[in-house]
């Protein structure tokens, strides 16, 4: 009896820690396979620091905006960002490039290397040269995705002493025009690392979208950031088979792209060669993606006009957009009767047959954000630069729209 009980406890604990918390999913997409010819950089970030915010940084060669942990007053690390030159970078933690020594933090330099790269790099070529200058061992273990304003798009798998570059514009490296990564590296040890099931799902969605010329920021948020398909189990929770009355309305959060630990989802939409770098748009969804709304951000005038609800707010000790999403996600992961139960997902709260789940109510609001933003962005592209007054007005309208959407959900 005692052995049975111990085995059960071990199983529950393993369920609660089946995958590393730094379990991000990402992709770099060449402009060759997007409808408008602009490259894309996507990251779903998983972390044990759920409250994220966006900050403006200056002082280096290029000012930039980036996602940081809200708990840090003066962050040395950033997790995805874009700078005034149109250079953008993100990472996923790899787990099969380095044999980490006992007591050594895995990928300890990943975040601060990205901050420094945003300060000094303008192109993919610059980033490659930047990696060459780093002292060794670098304490990096990561897959870095980068795009630039010249159409560059690449993934770098980096360990303590070397790196392997994959060019998203080169058919030899990216035959379908994109490179997806989770938490293993192709240059690393085979069948080690993490995120293979999430990788397969991201690859499946992107390959289909690439073939149809349909990889867009909005499509990435809907079909990847909020995906509830598990290819290993051959299920999709959106089928309705897991909702009442066919099912209980609950499921285990295992190997879906959005996870209980997901803190944000970001798509950086680059520019075509010849367009001003300031038109690079960082579509930003803070919090748990199924309860989040993506909003547009730009580096231009970010020191004065950056959308306030993505910035740290003393009242909630987080960015409001992050706080609202995470408060709703707490209602989704609400079973806490014992160890490991945080993996149980109240699917009915997100998606149900009455069409009033959080995701069902918030996705149309996000669609309205895109509907208001895209024509304005197109006009700026035609005139060659961002109109600061129009940007400020758009920020005000988007904030009012998003606040109005979350208010009744907070009161339920």
């Amino acid at each position: 009896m005692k052995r049975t009980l111990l085995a059960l406890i071990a199983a529950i604990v393993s369920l609660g820690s089946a995958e590393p918390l730094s379990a991000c999913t990402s992709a770099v997409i060449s402009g060759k396979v997007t409808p408008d010819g602009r490259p894309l950089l996507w990251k779903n970030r998983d972390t044990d620091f759920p409250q994220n915010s966006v900050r403006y940084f200056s002082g280096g060669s290029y000012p930039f905006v980036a996602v940081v942990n809200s708990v840090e007053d003066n962050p040395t690390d950033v997790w995805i960002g874009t700078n005034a030159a149109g250079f953008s970078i993100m990472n996923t933690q790899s787990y099969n490039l380095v044999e980490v020594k006992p007591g050594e933090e895995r990928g300890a330099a990943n975040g601060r290397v990205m901050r420094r790269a945003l300060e000094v790099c303008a192109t993919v070529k610059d980033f490659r040269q930047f990696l060459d200058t780093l002292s060794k061992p670098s304490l990096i273990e990561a897959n870095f995705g980068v795009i630039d304003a010249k159409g560059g798009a690449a993934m770098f798998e980096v360990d303590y002493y070397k790196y392997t570059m994959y060019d998203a514009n080169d058919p030899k490296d990216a035959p379908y025009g994109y490179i997806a990564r989770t938490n293993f590296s192709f240059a690393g040890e085979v069948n080690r690392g993490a995120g293979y099931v999430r990788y397969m799902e991201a690859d499946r969605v992107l390959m289909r979208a690439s073939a149809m010329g349909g990889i867009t920021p909005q499509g990435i948020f809907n079909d990847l950031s909020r995906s509830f398909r598990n290819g290993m189990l051959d299920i999709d929770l959106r089928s309705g088979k897991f909702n009442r009355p066919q099912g209980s309305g609950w499921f285990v959060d295992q190997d879906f792209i959005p996870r209980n630990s997901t803190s944000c989802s970001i798509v950086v939409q680059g520019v075509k060669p010849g367009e001003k770098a300031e038109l690079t748009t960082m579509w930003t969804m803070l919090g748990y993606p199924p309860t989040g709304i993506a909003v547009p951000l730009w580096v231009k005038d970010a020191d004065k006009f950056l959308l306030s609800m993505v910035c740290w707010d003393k009242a909630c000790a987080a960015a409001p957009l992050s706080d609202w999403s995470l408060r709703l996600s707490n209602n989704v992961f609400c079973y806490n009767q014992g160890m490991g139960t945080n993996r149980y997902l109240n699917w009915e709260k997100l998606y149900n047959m009455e069409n009033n789940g959080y995701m069902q109510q918030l996705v149309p609001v996000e669609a309205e954000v895109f509907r208001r933003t895209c024509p304005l962005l197109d006009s700026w592209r035609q005139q060659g630069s961002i109109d600061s007054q129009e940007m400020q007005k758009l920020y005000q309208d988007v904030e009012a729209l998003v606040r109005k959407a979350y208010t009744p959900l907070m009161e339920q």
Side-chain angles (χ1 to χ4, degrees), residues 291-308:
T291 58
I293 295 175
V295 297
L297 302 176
W298 294 276
V299 177
K300 184 173 182 178
D301 294 330
D303 56 332
K304 296 180 288 185
F305 300 141
L306 189 60
L307 189 60
S308 62

Side-chain angles (χ1 to χ4, degrees), residues 85-366:
F87 174 81
S88 309
I89 186 169
M90 67 83 203
N91 83 302
T92 67
Q93 175 67 57
S94 180
Y95 290 92
N96 69 333
L97 285 172
V98 175
E99 287 293 336
V100 177
K101 298 175 183 178
E104 185 176 67
E105 181 184 352
R106 188 178 287 275
N110 294 351
R112 63 177 179 265
V113 162
M114 287 192 288
R115 173 172 173 164
R116 185 57 181 160
L118 286 165
E119 290 177 335
V120 301
C121 295
T123 64
V124 173
K125 182 179 179 181
D126 288 348
F127 181 66
R128 186 171 188 171
Q129 293 173 341
F130 169 74
L131 290 177
D132 289 335
T133 67
L134 295 177
S135 60
K136 307 298 188 294
S138 66
L139 300 184
I140 297 170
E141 186 184 21
N143 305 312
F144 291 114
V146 294
I147 62 174
D148 64 32
K150 295 184 177 182
M155 188 74 74
F156 291 80
E157 297 180 347
V158 187
D159 65 26
Y160 283 14
Y161 296 96
K162 63 186 184 303
Y163 61 84
T164 304
M165 175 183 170
Y166 302 85
D167 188 345
N169 291 311
D170 187 340
K172 293 181 181 179
D173 291 344
Y176 303 104
Y178 66 86
I179 301 169
R181 288 293 184 271
T182 52
N183 304 106
F184 66 95
S185 299
F186 280 46
E189 190 172 346
V190 176
N191 291 332
R192 290 194 60 191
Y196 286 87
V197 175
R198 285 183 288 110
Y199 170 81
M200 288 187 285
E201 178 60 14
D203 187 55
R204 183 191 71 85
V205 171
L206 289 168
M207 185 178 296
R208 179 180 176 84
S210 171
M212 299 173 68
I215 306 181
T216 65
Q218 194 171 7
I220 288 173
F221 288 129
N222 286 331
D223 299 333
L224 288 172
S225 304
R226 301 187 181 99
S227 170
F228 281 94
R229 186 178 181 278
N230 183 311
M232 182 63 68
L233 300 177
D234 194 23
I235 60 168
D236 188 339
L237 297 192
R238 294 195 201 190
S239 68
K241 295 179 181 179
F242 304 91
N243 287 99
R244 296 193 298 257
Q246 291 193 62
S248 69
W250 288 81
F251 206 80
V252 175
D253 178 32
Q254 178 67 40
D255 284 328
F256 300 120
I257 289 175
R259 305 168 68 233
N260 188 11
S261 56
T262 305
S263 66
C264 67
S265 187
I266 313 292
V267 178
V268 181
Q269 185 176 26
V271 296
K272 293 180 181 179
E275 290 181 333
K276 277 192 176 181
E278 69 180 47
L279 293 161
T280 300
T281 305
M282 192 167 92
W283 294 95
T284 301
M285 181 191 297
L286 298 180
Y288 179 57
T291 58
I293 295 175
V295 297
L297 302 176
W298 294 276
V299 177
K300 184 173 182 178
D301 294 330
D303 56 332
K304 296 180 288 185
F305 300 141
L306 189 60
L307 189 60
S308 62
M309 64 182 175
V310 304
C311 301
W312 187 85
D313 187 297
K314 185 177 180 180
C316 59
L321 195 61
S322 172
D323 181 60
W324 301 332
S325 175
L326 293 175
R327 284 167 63 183
L328 295 183
S329 74
N330 287 338
N331 296 333
V332 174
F333 296 94
C334 58
Y335 180 51
N336 55 15
Q337 191 177 30
M339 294 185 298
T341 53
N342 65 326
R343 297 298 289 272
Y344 284 98
L345 165 75
N346 189 341
W347 176 238
E348 285 281 310
K349 285 284 189 179
L350 288 176
Y351 189 97
N352 56 53
M353 296 300 100
E354 290 74 39
N355 204 40
N356 62 7
Y358 294 147
M359 191 160 60
Q360 292 161 305
Q361 294 186 61
L362 294 173
V363 167
V365 180
E366 181 177 284

